[in-house]
């Protein structure tokens, strides 16, 4: 189904080259004063990624809100319907592809599942869908902010370059408000994108996210653990191949004595001295910042000739035109923030 | 909530040192002939892990089935209720701990969430809960087998030892029915456990899982992606810190041209020549084997003196007795198989 | 929440005098050829009710479909987003009411629940919302028709006039395709509306519905019974005060020996000789037509001076203008059909 | 599925003549001190109905609580598992029936749905299942009581005898704490049961229920209306053929001017002067008592020879022995209270 969340549910629709993208955010608390400039800012962060390094498709991406909000921008508690018209869809780029299955794309799977698909622009499987997610996340974030909750994601690896430990500052000094930013590393990451693009290729990456201000006691202890809901949400990204939180995968090679977070006496200034568990124990938040990473594969579409079968299995050699990001990670942080926001909001309501 | 799955729903209950563990498996198809020996075998695999290297708690772990099955062991389509009596609960091991919060355990979080908790044996947060999961998974597996679906998980890393690529055989020769097993690696992994145990310490690990025989077309394309549901299920393991599928985290450092699975002409003998995407594209199965790994942190309880606060924040130095696995990964494969089975079954119904 | 159904889920939004009404129909099977003329016909049946006797608000009520359907009108299996622009909203009729609570309306309750409400035209509580339901129902009906399922509802009582037993023909001769229609009764029903309207009053009514062509075996046996899901759906009508199926309330005054449906030998031509149980036993369809009725209260708004409090409890005497149906039952049949269609579709998928 | 409620979910299992009935109540708030005597009292009310007039099956019906509660009877917030062993199952009464379909029972429908069924005692379709509902309801009621919420149901009609308006006192004097009880009417109702029993027949009835102490603002405005959730829950009773709330079906024959509840100035002492809407407007509670009725058909099993087909459609004449209530309404009030309690609890959490 096309829904994320139960108590605060984002239901979405839209094919990449159809009439419009859109969704319904249901369950938003009443009385929240929306700052639509901030909402638009989040949408714009997704749209542009970083200048020339992202897809050249131009969508204004200004949502039309159809319900659930007063003229003055205050939520009514009723469902918020919204749409984004698709204006710059160049479907002819895809006309050759109507019958072909692109490698590493969902084309073949859609045909197996539905027996029919909208091939233009990837249809429903397009990353364009994520504009709906950011809209939902941006609205929810307006509420979370009133509760003192902040969610911040960054690209922390591209290709073979990146921060070895993107959360180092958080772990060691939990009150530190920002990621450690090393300009030389950032430059290396961008040059990975540029060199992939020059090679008519694409490149993978990692996005890391911190959630601050969450009270202890959120999450369900058995199924529906906080980390399980975060993983489920974040693995909705088409490119996501891996998820980790806290120490993450490295924990598998550690000893118990190395992985403990000891308590602070009186639980002050924070409950724990360190935060190796990433703010979650037993599926429930422990009052420390939550941090997790998602690993993204390279954009599947690359500007090279590739063999592609039609539905009968006959293979043609095709070079896909279209406009594609060489690195999906660049646009992903605001999407990850949005997915995290909706997940967290569902625990709070 | 304490439920996994919607169409085939496993709802569970039970505190580690309470009267019984148990659950209800609802939605199981009617007319499945249960081989209770096979069910018990799965339960036994969880119980023993590997001989001396796992917890010395002795539970017979023989389920009592209370409903949903005829005298002849055929499912009725009605909910299957089952219980496991807790017979060997040594709660006195925990009497000192009733008011203390153990590090890396959920104690503190339970108190924050509920204001009350059953401290004996970890209560609901105990790994004993997983006996319910294996029971549910084992029952579901009886159905999946009739559909030709096989699910197999193995420990593929303990501490710093393990297979670099646990799925190598699958990727290169998809028809290969088994994991590559290298006895020298297995020995190294076990010696990691042994040396951790001798040091009164514990050790982390990784479990890898393959699902074979799944038809193409399963999974929801946007939210509820197959990998998202697998991640959600597997991250329910208390120790799980990371999840990856297909190429996994390595994909983040790769180029697009390296990560493509090309199609076989005529989709024969398998749809794809390689399986870097782990059997899933766009959230939907593509007819190739599905494979994923889960990274597990070391057992939090270690037999050492550790500082632990009471609810006022006053810290005592305590050595927890109890009986604990030095490495949770050893028992985890059958639990991972069970979680995967329930996830898959929900897509099939 | 604003969602009906799980497997085929209609989620809706829209305030009566907001920008637009709309919704998302998720889970519709792929490959259904939509006859948009038939869809529009259902929408038009709701709009007009019966000529002069219904509200004089003029909405063109032509949906814009935004996704989920090919250019040729074939469903893709992806969510179908749709909107109805609100064009003829005369909010000034309501300006006096912004702070007042109308009797028998939801105004007071919305303020208690949300602390804020859109007073114009009743906001989200307006019957205008039902245009979304009919759109969803009409789309689903396109699928049900391909399965040979027919759903037909009629007004069978208005005020004190109506059919004593609206399903007589069904009960006695199950193969009879139509309701007994008695023109003299229909005239009496309409004159009840007319006389209420002349008295600046409104009048209640009953709508009865038959579902034909449903196979035996649908419905959940314990919770989620077929009749329970129908009751839940139909009681979503703001005016609904009662629901009954089969013999209905009369069953309470009957003896067991009077209420039995006996089987036909060989289950031919229908499984049962009579259909007192209205096609459902134990929550599961039995292969006979399903029939049920819903009892609707009179329109709460009447063109008379009435005492209305503001939020402080101070009472004013106000005459509400607006445009209102004297009898909600007249427009209700197609809405009941739509709710029934969505309910049935969820059992079939 | 076998679950009622989302936030406070009762999931049940059990065949009438199987090993045990049971269930899991998940989502119960932590820290509720359970008075198990009161819980048992509710269970006992269901068991006995009224002395000789109910089924002679003897079950001790003492639940075993397996989890979720401390030794001192305080809820932990974790799922409460419970079972009732089936001790007095006389399955031989049913041996003749294994292959036959009883009229007005679910036998035929179960076979159509599942292709297999447990014929003994009606299996899962037996009214014995309701012991699970009362257990769940009784536990939930312990919480509701702490919030000042009371739920009370009574038999208000049996056959052709009963109260014309069971809620008269409530409507006219909302503060009146009890139903009007007229001993002469009660005697007439019981004589209806007795005379049905003497005639080897059964008799239908009506149960009416009042919920007091509910705050205004509960319920969802569009789908998930308070009355819709009550209707769904109550229509889960196998015998239920109709549901109404407030004025109920009579509203269909009334004019708007007759059906209005006018506000009290200052909303004191109650928000409304009358309560024709039964405490709900627009799907949301308005702070007045909620009242509704359910109409129950006669027990389908009567001690007479009846024609019954086997699965091939060949008809035999059989007299069912077994032990059955001549009037299901007698035991139903506590079951209705339980279903209402679970429904209300879900709105409060």
């Amino acid at each position: 189904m096309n829904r994320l969340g139960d108590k605060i549910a984002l239901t979405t629709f839209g094919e990449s080259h159809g009439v419009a993208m859109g969704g319904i955010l249901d369950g938003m608390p009443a009385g929240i004063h929306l700052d639509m400039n901030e909402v638009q800012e989040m949408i714009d962060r997704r749209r542009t990624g970083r200048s020339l390094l992202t897809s050249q498709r131009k969508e204004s991406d200004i949502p039309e809100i159809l319900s659930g909000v007063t003229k003055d921008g205050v939520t009514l508690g009723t469902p918020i319907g919204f749409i984004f018209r698709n204006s710059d869809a160049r479907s002819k780029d895809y006309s050759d592809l109507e019958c072909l299955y692109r490698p590493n794309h969902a084309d073949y799977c859609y045909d197996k599942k539905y027996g029919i698909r909208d091939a233009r622009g990837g249809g429903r499987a397009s990353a364009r869908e994520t504009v709906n997610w950011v809209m939902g996340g941006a609205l929810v974030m307006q509420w979370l902010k009133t509760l003192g909750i902040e969610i911040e994601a960054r690209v922390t690896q591209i290709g073979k370059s990146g921060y070895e430990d993107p959360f180092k500052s958080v772990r060691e000094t939990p009150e530190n408000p920002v990621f450690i930013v090393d300009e030389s590393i950032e430059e290396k990451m961008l040059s990975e994108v540029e060199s992939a693009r020059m090679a008519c290729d694409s490149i993978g990456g990692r996005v890391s996210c911190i959630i601050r201000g969450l009270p202890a006691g959120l999450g369900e202890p058995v199924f529906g653990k906080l980390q399980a809901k975060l993983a489920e949400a974040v693995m909705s990204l088409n490119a996501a191949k891996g998820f980790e939180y806290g120490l993450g995968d490295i924990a598998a090679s550690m000893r118990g004595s190395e992985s403990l977070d000891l308590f602070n006496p009186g639980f002050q200034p924070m409950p724990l001295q360190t935060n190796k568990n990433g703010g979650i124990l037993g599926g429930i938040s422990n009052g420390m910042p939550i941090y997790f990473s998602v690993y993204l594969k390279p954009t599947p579409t690359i500007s090279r000739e590739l063999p592609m079968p039609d539905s009968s299995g006959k293979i043609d050699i095709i070079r896909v035109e279209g406009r594609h990001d060489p690195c999906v990670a660049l646009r992903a942080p605001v999407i990850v923030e949005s997915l995290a926001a909706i997940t967290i909001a569902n625990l709070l309501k």
Side-chain angles (χ1 to χ4, degrees), chain A residues 7 21 26 48 70 85-86 108 114 146 164 167 191-193 220 234 236 253 283 305 326:
Chain A
K7 295 176 190 165
M21 311 305 294
D26 195 6
T48 55
T70 68
R85 297 270 166 191
N86 288 327
Y108 174 77
Y114 297 114
T146 68
E164 197 179 344
F167 300 107
S191 71
E192 292 256 2
V193 182
E220 292 293 324
V234 164
S236 302
S253 55
E305 293 197 331

Side-chain angles (χ1 to χ4, degrees), chain A residues 55-56 90 92-94 97 301 303 319-324:
Chain A
S55 158
Q56 297 305 303
R90 295 208 321 230
K92 68 177 151 42
D93 286 347
Y94 293 88
L97 294 171
T301 307
S303 296
R319 182 191 170 105
V320 175
E321 301 295 334
R323 297 151 295 178
H324 301 281

Side-chain angles (χ1 to χ4, degrees), chain A residues 144 147-150 211-219 226 271 279-280 284-290 344 347-348:
Chain A
L144 297 186
L147 305 174
I149 295 169
E150 290 170 11
I211 305 169
R212 295 172 202 281
L214 210 60
L218 294 178
L226 180 37
I280 308 172
I284 305 172
S285 64
N286 64 10
M288 301 291 286
I290 285 171
I344 293 303
L347 298 174
L348 285 161

Side-chain angles (χ1 to χ4, degrees), chain A residues 218-234:
Chain A
L218 294 178
E220 292 293 324
V222 176
F223 301 117
K225 282 185 163 78
L226 180 37
Q227 68 271 36
K229 299 313 283 181
L230 283 172
E232 182 193 15
V234 164

Side-chain angles (χ1 to χ4, degrees), chain A residues 9 14 23 51 55 72 84 101 107 119 133 136 158 162 166 171 175 179 186 196 206 227 236 275 285 314 338-339:
Chain A
S51 65
S55 158
D72 308 321
F84 293 90
Y101 301 143
D107 304 339
W133 307 0
I158 292 176
R171 278 188 197 120
E175 66 282 13
F179 288 33
E186 301 250 326
R206 179 186 63 193
Q227 68 271 36
S236 302
N275 191 12
S285 64
K314 192 173 150 284
S338 297
L339 294 167

Side-chain angles (χ1 to χ4, degrees), chain A residues 267-282:
Chain A
F267 309 116
Q268 293 302 329
M270 301 281 280
L272 298 163
Q273 297 175 24
T274 51
N275 191 12
K276 297 171 187 171
N277 285 289
I280 308 172
L281 281 168

